[in-house]
Amino acid sequence: MDVKKVASYMAQRNQALENRALRPEAQAIAQPKNVEAEAIEDRVAFSQKALEMARNKVAMERDDVRVEKVETLRRQIHEGSYTVDTQKIAARMLDEII
């Protein structure tokens, strides 16, 4: 067995592997490009409910939320002592229309 031949073979093998790793663009060029696939864009669409939830989350994280008033109203509703002022609601509805 000739050691030189084995060493020569291993050197050629290593060089072939290096050339393959260094030239990945050669494989990309050889493949035909799909023009239709390049025209397609990725898009994300959120539902109205998801957008509303995101807005509500942002609103709840703001400092201007009156936590005490919200808790008071929540407690009144739970106890059944919360009353709706129908005159006030009607006045606001008319203000928005006019």
Side-chain angles (χ1 to χ4, degrees):
M1 175 187 225
D2 191 9
V3 176
K4 291 181 184 178
K5 289 182 183 177
V6 172
S8 172
Y9 170 77
M10 292 303 289
Q12 289 174 356
R13 175 85 173 129
N14 289 339
Q15 186 178 9
L17 290 174
E18 287 176 10
N19 287 341
R20 195 176 321 152
L22 292 176
R23 297 183 188 166
E25 67 278 356
Q27 292 175 353
I29 293 171
Q31 297 174 351
K33 291 188 177 184
N34 187 348
V35 178
E36 292 176 9
E38 289 181 3
I40 297 173
E41 296 179 9
D42 292 334
R43 296 179 189 201
V44 175
F46 294 103
S47 67
Q48 286 299 107
K49 188 169 185 169
L51 294 173
E52 183 180 338
M53 288 172 58
R55 282 192 295 267
N56 290 340
K57 183 178 180 183
V58 169
M60 292 299 290
E61 291 174 351
R62 292 188 315 202
D63 292 336
D64 63 342
V65 175
R66 297 176 288 181
V67 178
E68 297 85 21
K69 185 168 184 173
V70 171
E71 288 300 320
T72 303
L73 290 172
R74 186 176 287 148
R75 186 175 30 81
Q76 288 176 349
I77 291 170
H78 182 70
E79 294 172 352
S81 61
Y82 178 73
T83 57
V84 178
D85 187 358
T86 56
Q87 295 293 326
K88 197 174 186 180
I89 292 173
R92 286 222 175 145
M93 288 174 70
L94 289 174
D95 287 343
E96 286 183 18
I97 293 172
I98 299 174

